[in-house]
Amino acid sequence: MRRPAPDWHDPRVQLLDSITEIRPEDCGRVIVAASHAGVSAVSYAFNDQPLACFFNDAGVGKDEAGISGLGPLNDHGIIAATYSHDSARIGDAVDAWACGILTHVNALAAARGLKSGMSVQQAARLLLG
């Protein structure tokens, strides 16, 4: 399901229960996706060029598969971070927005001041000024 961030009326933030719901009109937006950040999932964002994407780290997993898409997102010029699977449910972007705590960031995100331990909302506010 697609929806704006509750209690924060900024059209530049879009919540997606699945990254497969990203659209061309999301170009330049901050996307809070409730999908894992594996390469197979994050590739959906490459063509639509959001400003930033937040994903569930899915427990990181074997060979860091749950966060393996952070580098490719960086290579495509997209700020990206993951939030802890212990802080928010996979598949529930509203929960990610309300409760997500960052665990990993790509180089572009780090350059903009995002870091582990920051909430998804804090990170979005920092990016959007």
Side-chain angles (χ1 to χ4, degrees), residues 33 35-38 42 53-60 64-70 73 79-85 87 100-106 109 114-120 123:
S35 301
H36 63 80
V42 305
C53 287
F54 296 94
F55 294 91
N56 193 298
D57 70 11
V60 181
E64 297 187 340
I67 62 169
S68 62
L70 292 178
L73 285 163
I79 297 164
T82 58
Y83 53 86
S84 173
H85 68 287
S87 68
I101 302 296
L102 301 190
T103 54
H104 299 86
V105 300
N106 69 7
L114 276 61
K115 57 188 173 187
S116 179
M118 180 180 280
S119 75
V120 169

Side-chain angles (χ1 to χ4, degrees), residues 27-28 32 40 47 61 67 76 80 85-86 89 93 100 102-103 106 115 122 125-126:
C27 180
V32 179
S40 65
N47 290 334
I67 62 169
H76 280 82
H85 68 287
D86 287 326
R89 292 182 292 274
L102 301 190
T103 54
N106 69 7
K115 57 188 173 187
Q122 287 173 311
R125 285 185 172 92
L126 180 63

Side-chain angles (χ1 to χ4, degrees), residues 12-13 16 21 23 28-29 32 35 40-41 48 50 58 60 81 89-90 95 98-99 120-121 127 129:
R12 297 175 297 170
V13 177
L16 309 178
E21 298 171 304
R23 298 180 183 159
R29 288 183 172 160
V32 179
S35 301
S40 65
D48 295 315
V60 181
R89 292 182 292 274
I90 293 176
D95 193 44
C99 303
V120 169
Q121 287 187 36
L127 292 173

